[in-house]
Amino acid sequence: ETGVTQTPRHLVMGMTNKKSLKCEQHLGHNAMYWYKQSAKKPLELMFVYSLEERVENNSVPSRFSPECPNSSHLFLHLHTLQPEDSALYLCASSQDTGPEKLFFGSGTQLSVL
Amino acid sequence: AQKVTQAQTEISVVEKEDVTLDCVYETRDTTYYLFWYKQPPSGELVFLIRRNSFDEQNEISGRYSWNFQKSTSSFNFTITASQVVDSAVYFCALSLHGSSNTGKLIFGQGTTLQVKP
């Protein structure tokens, strides 16, 4: 089993739908992250959790709502998205926060119609 | 402000050629870390290397080597004798040091490397 698992791999949703992205890490790490990868733009950090506490919210619109119920699981709840939110959403984990090596999942390719 | 620039958007080489991917960074901090990640078609980014700002020694790992030059704010990555499996998007990234650092990485735009047989 891979270290960081994301589901679903692909998601198509309408602008009025509510959906959730799931991330699970099997590495015993204390920090988890959500990154957004849009076409022709650098990866953007969205949220950082350390020991289930959110330590960074990088000016992300409220239509994205993260949840970290424990140090192994991270969710991204989506509501009333816009077509420009279509992107690859990558989850990552690291032993702790700081300039650590990140372990990434394969991402969820999201399309908002 | 911090910034990472990878000027090469796409590079195409033939197998067994050497290829260098450029990375230039900007920061006013004296302590920072630089990273390279590889993103194959499967999507997940794979860590390749991390260097701190006080260690300018070049590093070699198999066919991979990294040249860190603080004088030019560059951290270039060379693949020797490239192989088809090296085809991927490569990202250079910068992370700052300090208690307020939450692990935020500032990524470059990425360089897509295509190695043809």
Side-chain angles (χ1 to χ4, degrees):
Chain A
E1 194 169 358
T2 58
V4 180
T5 305
Q6 289 187 245
T7 55
R9 287 298 308 273
H10 302 275
L11 178 63
V12 179
M13 58 187 290
M15 290 190 285
T16 58
N17 292 158
K18 290 183 181 180
K19 297 287 184 182
S20 296
L21 309 185
K22 179 183 176 181
C23 177
E24 183 175 0
Q25 58 99 356
H26 311 277
L27 301 168
H29 288 167
N30 295 320
M32 295 188 77
Y33 309 77
W34 280 115
Y35 276 87
K36 176 183 178 182
Q37 185 176 19
S38 306
K40 300 183 180 181
K41 290 178 69 175
L43 276 83
E44 303 169 67
L45 177 67
M46 299 177 73
F47 302 103
V48 181
Y49 276 83
S50 176
L51 297 171
E52 300 121 57
E53 179 183 344
R54 192 190 310 180
V55 296
E56 177 141 0
N57 176 348
N58 207 29
S59 302
V60 180
S62 59
R63 58 185 183 269
F64 295 91
S65 175
E67 178 190 1
C68 188
N70 55 63
S71 58
S72 298
H73 293 86
L74 185 65
F75 295 89
L76 187 62
H77 304 300
L78 314 173
H79 176 54
T80 321
L81 294 192
Q82 305 297 313
E84 60 264 29
D85 296 322
S86 298
L88 180 67
Y89 289 85
L90 290 160
C91 174
S93 71
S94 61
Q95 186 60 57
D96 294 291
T97 58
E100 299 265 346
K101 170 183 176 180
L102 296 183
F103 292 77
F104 283 84
S106 297
T108 295
Q109 186 65 55
L110 173 67
S111 297
V112 182
L113 304 179
Chain B
Q2 291 78 37
K3 184 180 178 182
V4 176
T5 302
Q6 295 178 255
Q8 303 149 309
T9 305
E10 295 182 15
I11 300 176
S12 182
V13 299
V14 176
E15 209 169 18
K16 298 184 183 177
E17 285 184 19
D18 297 347
V19 58
T20 294
L21 310 182
D22 297 332
C23 173
V24 174
Y25 62 93
E26 295 175 30
T27 180
R28 293 186 178 178
D29 286 49
T30 56
T31 305
Y32 51 88
Y33 295 80
L34 295 164
F35 296 76
W36 276 96
Y37 282 85
K38 173 184 179 180
Q39 185 178 35
S42 53
E44 80 282 8
L45 276 77
V46 178
F47 169 85
L48 295 178
I49 190 171
R50 182 186 79 166
R51 302 308 297 272
N52 73 55
S53 52
F54 297 106
D55 184 1
E56 285 194 74
Q57 190 172 10
N58 291 332
E59 183 159 337
I60 298 175
S61 176
R63 297 184 297 105
Y64 295 171
S65 62
W66 290 269
N67 185 333
F68 180 23
Q69 298 271 352
K70 284 183 77 172
S71 59
T72 56
S73 297
S74 65
F75 186 43
N76 296 338
F77 172 33
T78 297
I79 302 174
T80 303
S82 60
Q83 300 176 1
V84 173
V85 293
D86 295 327
S87 298
V89 183
Y90 291 86
F91 292 94
C92 181
L94 168 70
S95 180
L96 302 181
H97 182 69
S99 59
S100 62
N101 180 9
T102 56
K104 178 177 182 175
L105 283 175
I106 300 160
F107 282 89
Q109 297 262 38
T111 297
T112 300
L113 174 64
Q114 183 181 35
V115 182
K116 299 178 181 178

